[in-house]
Amino acid sequence: MADLTSLLYTAEHEWIAVDGDTATIGITDYAAEQLGDVVFVDLPAVGSTVTAGQVCGEIESTKSVGELYAPLSGEVVEINDAVVDDPSTVNADAFGDGWLIKLRVEAASVEGALDRDGYLALTGGEA
């Protein structure tokens, strides 16, 4: 599991871990809990480019279908095939094995990004 205080968060309930020019992105435990049991994940293709704020994938659960928004612009360098094969991993370990995509980014600045305390304030203390 990642150090949750070192991550950035979005109002769309995504987390971002930046390491150099690579950003790993997933959804938070709070988002996974709100979705319910995740049964399908559609992620962008490796080599494709995503644009910050635009839909880049889909997460389906027993309750609803949610869109995955790219919090940063960049090139998809890796997707989590384990999550595609077993979507329940998102529920079981959202901040660890349940990561979704890795992007190569030039600038890891996320407009409106929140730190851990800001995200907890957004969700009423739940993460």
Side-chain angles (χ1 to χ4, degrees):
M1 174 175 277
D3 173 8
L4 302 184
T5 59
S6 69
L7 302 175
L8 296 173
Y9 298 86
T10 70
E12 287 78 27
H13 307 289
E14 295 156 342
W15 58 264
I16 306 159
V18 179
D19 182 14
D21 68 349
T22 302
T24 302
I25 299 162
I27 65 168
T28 64
D29 280 346
Y30 177 82
E33 185 177 305
Q34 296 302 307
L35 281 169
D37 294 333
V38 176
V39 296
F40 177 76
V41 176
D42 181 36
L43 301 173
V46 171
S48 65
T49 301
V50 298
T51 303
Q54 301 297 310
V55 174
C56 67
E58 187 175 89
I59 300 174
E60 293 183 20
S61 71
T62 54
K63 290 183 180 179
S64 67
V65 176
E67 295 177 324
L68 176 65
Y69 291 89
L72 299 165
S73 295
E75 177 188 353
V76 178
V77 294
E78 188 177 349
I79 64 168
N80 189 345
D81 288 320
V83 166
V84 173
D85 294 340
D86 183 6
S88 68
T89 306
V90 173
N91 296 106
D93 191 11
F95 290 107
D97 291 338
W99 65 272
L100 300 174
I101 61 175
K102 292 188 181 188
L103 300 178
R104 180 173 300 115
V105 295
E106 287 184 21
S109 63
V110 182
E111 189 172 323
L114 305 167
D115 62 10
R116 182 74 177 159
D117 291 338
Y119 185 71
L120 289 173
L122 175 75
T123 61
E126 296 183 47

